[in-house]
Amino acid sequence: MNENRVVRFDWAMKYMLRNKANYDIVEGFLCALLEDNDLKVIEILESESNKEDEDDKFNRVDVLVKDSQGRNIIIEIQNSRESDYLYRVLYGVSKNIAQSIESGQAYKNISKVITVNVLYFNLGIGEDYLYYGSTEFVGMTTNERISKDNERLKKLIPEGASYNPVEIYPEYYLIQVEKYKNIVSRAIDEWIYWFK
C-alpha cells in the first residue's frame, strides 16, 4: 500500500514559529500585523496551560510569544471549522490572563494579551479577511470614549504597571485566509498571501 506522506501546512507553520532560530520570521509577521516595527520576540513560552483541577478545561495554543513590551501574543492556526470558535478564542485569552499572575500578586502585574487567529475556514460572519477587536469604554449618555491618552486616566496608573487600565485589555485579530482577494495593499497582506 502506497501512503502519500505530506507535511501539513499548519504543522509546518507551528513547528517553524516555535523554533528559536526563526524568531525573525515570527517578528516579521507580528510587526506587519501589529504595525509595530519595534516589536522583538523575547521567548516562545510554554503553550499548554495547567489544569487547576480535574474538571478544568484543557487549553493549549499553537504558539505563545512573549515580546519586548511584556505582552503575551497567542498565535492560533485553525484548519477545521468550529461553530464555537470565538468562544474558544475568548477562553484561551482568559486562561492566559488568569495564569499571568500568581496568588498574592497585584493586579497591575497582569500581562497584556494579544491573540492572532489564522483561519483556514469561513467563520460565517463578515466579508473582510482581517478583523481587529478590543475593549472600548463608551459613555452611555454622553458617548464619550475613554482614551488611553486621557489625562485623568494617566493619574490612575499604579506605579510599576506596564499598561494603563484601558490598554491592558486583550486585543483580537482574526485572519480569514480564504477571503483574502490576493491584493497587496499593506505589509500584512504579503503574509496573508503567503498563508493562502
Side-chain angles (χ1 to χ4, degrees):
M1 174 186 267
N2 285 337
E3 284 187 35
N4 186 9
R5 295 180 183 248
V6 295
V7 175
R8 287 181 35 151
F9 180 74
D10 64 325
W11 180 88
M13 281 285 294
K14 293 170 196 176
Y15 175 80
M16 181 179 68
L17 294 177
R18 285 188 194 126
N19 189 331
K20 188 173 186 165
N22 296 326
Y23 277 14
D24 55 340
I25 294 171
V26 178
E27 284 176 5
F29 168 59
L30 292 174
C31 286
L33 178 65
L34 304 178
E35 297 177 347
D36 178 1
N37 290 328
D38 295 328
L39 184 146
K40 296 286 180 222
V41 171
I42 301 300
E43 64 180 315
I44 304 293
L45 300 171
E46 174 58 47
S47 59
E48 190 171 310
S49 66
N50 295 324
K51 291 176 80 164
E52 299 297 321
D53 60 53
E54 67 182 44
D55 294 328
D56 197 6
K57 182 101 171 126
F58 177 75
N59 184 53
R60 180 180 180 149
V61 298
D62 292 333
V63 180
L64 180 57
V65 173
K66 173 73 97 187
D67 79 353
S68 54
Q69 297 174 40
R71 301 178 294 193
N72 289 347
I73 304 172
I74 297 169
I75 302 173
E76 278 286 326
I77 300 165
Q78 182 69 22
N79 280 316
S80 57
R81 179 164 172 64
E82 288 184 26
S83 60
D84 60 352
Y85 186 76
L86 292 178
Y87 294 95
R88 179 177 160 199
V89 170
L90 177 64
Y91 181 79
V93 168
S94 301
K95 193 79 167 170
N96 189 278
I97 291 169
Q99 291 185 339
S100 72
I101 62 172
E102 296 175 4
S103 179
Q105 285 186 313
Y107 291 112
K108 69 180 180 183
N109 295 322
I110 288 175
S111 294
K112 167 84 174 182
V113 176
I114 297 172
T115 182
V116 178
N117 301 273
V118 180
L119 308 176
Y120 285 94
F121 67 91
N122 184 342
L123 197 54
I125 52 174
E127 297 302 317
D128 207 337
Y129 62 94
L130 181 60
Y131 286 91
Y132 169 80
S134 66
T135 301
E136 184 176 29
F137 294 98
V138 181
M140 298 284 291
T141 55
T142 64
N143 287 327
E144 172 195 18
R145 287 174 168 28
I146 297 178
S147 158
K148 66 180 182 175
D149 300 320
N150 182 297
E151 290 303 318
R152 283 189 249 160
L153 180 64
K154 289 178 182 178
K155 293 176 184 174
L156 297 175
I157 302 172
E159 189 173 322
S162 299
Y163 292 91
N164 74 41
V166 174
E167 289 180 302
I168 193 64
Y169 286 90
E171 297 178 36
Y172 304 86
Y173 290 86
L174 300 172
I175 302 171
Q176 295 187 87
V177 175
E178 294 175 358
K179 290 189 176 186
Y180 176 63
K181 304 286 190 222
N182 300 334
I183 299 170
V184 175
S185 58
R186 55 189 168 199
I188 189 58
D189 292 343
E190 294 180 28
W191 285 93
I192 298 171
Y193 181 81
W194 182 70
F195 292 160
K196 190 174 182 181

